[in-house]
Amino acid sequence: MKFIQIRIFSVVCSPSLSTNRRNLIGTLTSLPTLPLDLIIEILSRLPVKQLLQLRCVCKLWKSLISDSKFAKKHLHLSTTYTLHGIDNQNYYSKHVLKSYSLNSSVSIAQIHLPSNGYVRFLGSCNGVLCLGEEDDGGDLFLVRLWNPSIRKFKELPPVRKPHSYHLGMSGFGYNPISDNYKVVVVLLPSDNVEDNGNYFSDHEVKVHTLGTDSWKSVSVFPFAGVFVQQLGQYVSGTINWLVCTDIMQGQYFIASVDLGKESYQKVLLPDDSGEVDNYTLRLSVFRDCLCLIFGEDVWVMKEYGNKESWIKLFTISYVRDHHCTSSCYIIHPTYIFEDDRVLLSCRSYQECIDGTWKHISYHCNCKNGTSKFIEFEHMLEVCIESLISPCHLSNARM
């Protein structure tokens, strides 16, 4: 077994690692040794920011932390989440992706996006954000991948759109069968809604497999409906969207695409979920399971695709305060974390100020009923911290 000499506290906690590197290496030579396997176990539990600093310790550590297998191990142990919002300050000039911790509206990182149009989230998976925008001419849709934790970027081949079509739904996920990542977009004609409210009457589905140089058209959705959430939720090799077949009657289901077979499935909602509508119903993910929020009730599908496996997990308790007293607002859960904390969003129209929407996000601790309000200027996407590089996803090995 390989061994390496190390003093864990000095290496991990030193705030000035680069300036003290020579003294640190000298100290290491007189310290006890630890097995390399144990070093890997320790390092794989550290935050990404510290790991990026620790690459400077020695060539062995740099090679280890940069290895794709280590990145996968770190991902499975990662418990740190960050929030990300796109600030389209000016439609044709300045676009900034801002990252936040869970407890503050002060951005911890910013990146200016190389774009000329309105930038939106297309999905996220394993710490990588998928971003999209229309080009100046309008006949192409540009797609990029970005890991904000390690600041790695990859541009994908553009999607060619038919004339007068626009982006309807999208998703980004990992296919464990063929061991690769895929991006899915659903293109809809601008005047596609029929009298019966069917968004899928005339649409196209495009799929890009990372590592290839093009998009391919696949079979269209075999059912009718109107999508409720534009972003698909990734679970167990599938991407899932909430769809409504009758808004007046409150009839909903989950439209799912299998990334391996590139086939579709209709996933049914629990029977006793109560009365729902577009404002109180939200599809999310909780502990690698599909999660539905009906108003304040949280349901989880323990066995994917099995309607009988829906169970009511808990009820969200939160207090509306002066942040959400406007006569025009929508409150809905955005994400449920592993420790049962819930991120909720309050979308309030500031008519008296400048006629724009303001987004108030707050954390609700379902164990003790406490809440913390944080105000943002844009909708947020939750992403786990990881070392997964978008540049290497075509060679993924989970």
Side-chain angles (χ1 to χ4, degrees):
M1 180 182 296
K2 296 182 179 179
F3 289 78
I4 182 171
Q5 294 180 316
I6 176 176
R7 183 180 179 185
I8 297 297
F9 181 82
S10 297
V11 173
V12 173
C13 299
S14 175
S16 54
L17 181 61
S18 59
T19 58
N20 293 334
R21 182 181 178 189
R22 181 178 300 176
N23 294 334
L24 177 62
I25 293 177
T27 303
L28 292 177
T29 59
S30 60
L31 294 175
T33 60
L34 288 177
L36 181 58
D37 289 348
L38 182 55
I39 299 299
I40 294 175
E41 290 299 321
I42 295 172
L43 293 180
S44 61
R45 287 164 171 78
L46 295 180
V48 170
K49 184 176 181 180
Q50 288 185 337
L51 288 172
L52 297 181
Q53 295 173 338
L54 292 175
R55 291 181 302 179
C56 301
V57 171
C58 62
K59 291 182 178 180
L60 175 61
W61 281 29
K62 180 179 181 180
S63 175
L64 172 64
I65 295 172
S66 303
D67 183 73
S68 59
K69 292 183 179 180
F70 178 82
K72 307 306 188 306
K73 181 178 180 64
H74 177 271
L75 171 66
H76 292 308
L77 296 172
S78 181
T79 58
T80 304
Y81 291 85
T82 50
L83 309 177
H84 306 277
I86 300 174
D87 189 354
N88 290 287
Q89 296 180 11
N90 187 305
Y91 193 90
Y92 289 108
S93 61
K94 192 175 183 181
H95 311 271
V96 182
L97 177 65
K98 297 182 179 181
S99 302
Y100 307 88
S101 69
L102 297 183
N103 301 310
S104 173
S105 61
V106 179
S107 63
I108 56 177
Q110 296 186 17
I111 179 70
H112 289 266
L113 301 172
S115 61
N116 295 313
Y118 189 86
V119 183
R120 68 193 73 183
F121 290 116
L122 301 184
S124 65
C125 180
N126 294 341
V128 179
L129 297 170
C130 187
L131 310 172
E133 64 162 312
E134 291 190 14
D135 72 333
D136 288 336
D139 59 341
L140 295 178
F141 194 80
L142 309 179
V143 182
R144 301 180 178 94
L145 300 179
W146 169 254
N147 184 331
S149 299
I150 60 176
R151 303 178 72 84
K152 293 293 185 181
F153 169 88
K154 181 181 179 63
E155 187 160 353
L156 302 183
V159 184
R160 186 165 297 279
K161 301 186 305 172
H163 180 66
S164 74
Y165 272 62
H166 67 278
L167 177 69
M169 301 185 298
S170 62
F172 173 55
Y174 171 73
N175 173 24
I177 304 301
S178 58
D179 191 29
N180 53 29
Y181 286 77
K182 293 186 178 184
V183 183
V184 180
V185 297
V186 180
L187 302 176
L188 305 173
S190 300
D191 56 351
N192 68 317
V193 184
E194 295 180 344
D195 294 336
N196 60 3
N198 180 18
Y199 266 89
F200 301 119
S201 59
D202 185 16
H203 68 284
E204 294 188 11
V205 182
K206 303 280 189 180
V207 176
H208 174 73
T209 302
L210 269 69
T212 64
D213 58 1
S214 63
W215 293 75
K216 69 175 181 178
S217 297
V218 298
S219 60
V220 298
F221 283 89
F223 29 69
V226 178
F227 68 86
V228 178
Q229 288 179 226
Q230 186 180 47
L231 293 185
Q233 301 295 315
Y234 169 75
V235 172
S236 302
T238 66
I239 297 177
N240 304 267
W241 296 271
L242 191 60
V243 175
C244 178
T245 55
D246 191 325
I247 295 179
M248 300 302 295
Q249 297 296 323
Q251 297 177 359
Y252 296 83
F253 68 93
I254 298 170
S256 169
V257 58
D258 186 301
L259 294 177
K261 301 176 183 177
E262 296 180 350
S263 59
Y264 302 102
Q265 177 182 357
K266 180 183 289 188
V267 180
L268 301 180
L269 276 56
D271 290 329
D272 53 351
S273 55
E275 185 176 347
V276 297
D277 56 49
N278 286 0
Y279 303 115
T280 61
L281 189 61
R282 183 79 178 181
L283 181 63
S284 186
V285 177
F286 180 68
R287 296 177 181 170
D288 296 325
C289 295
L290 273 184
C291 172
L292 274 168
I293 302 100
F294 296 90
E296 299 175 3
D297 294 333
V298 177
W299 291 70
V300 172
M301 177 174 268
K302 303 295 290 185
E303 180 184 345
Y304 182 81
N306 181 3
K307 178 184 176 182
E308 305 304 319
S309 69
W310 283 110
I311 62 169
K312 183 178 176 180
L313 202 60
F314 55 80
T315 298
I316 303 170
S317 299
Y318 62 90
V319 180
R320 303 173 190 262
D321 73 353
H322 66 280
H323 291 278
C324 294
T325 56
S326 169
S327 60
C328 180
Y329 68 85
I330 301 168
I331 294 180
H332 62 77
T334 301
Y335 196 87
I336 301 179
F337 298 95
E338 296 288 327
D339 58 0
D340 294 349
R341 283 187 303 164
V342 181
L343 177 67
L344 301 105
S345 294
C346 169
R347 194 170 183 227
S348 177
Y349 189 66
Q350 300 299 293
E351 189 174 28
C352 60
I353 301 176
D354 57 4
T356 60
W357 287 98
K358 138 175 125 169
H359 305 282
I360 300 172
S361 292
Y362 56 103
H363 303 281
C364 171
N365 189 321
C366 294
K367 293 181 178 179
N368 58 27
T370 59
S371 300
K372 179 177 181 179
F373 290 78
I374 307 173
E375 183 176 325
F376 297 91
E377 297 178 351
H378 31 250
M379 293 296 289
L380 300 174
E381 179 77 2
V382 179
C383 192
I384 195 168
E385 282 194 356
S386 81
L387 293 167
I388 303 297
S389 173
C391 305
H392 302 147
L393 291 188
S394 58
N395 300 314
R397 277 287 177 267
M398 296 298 290

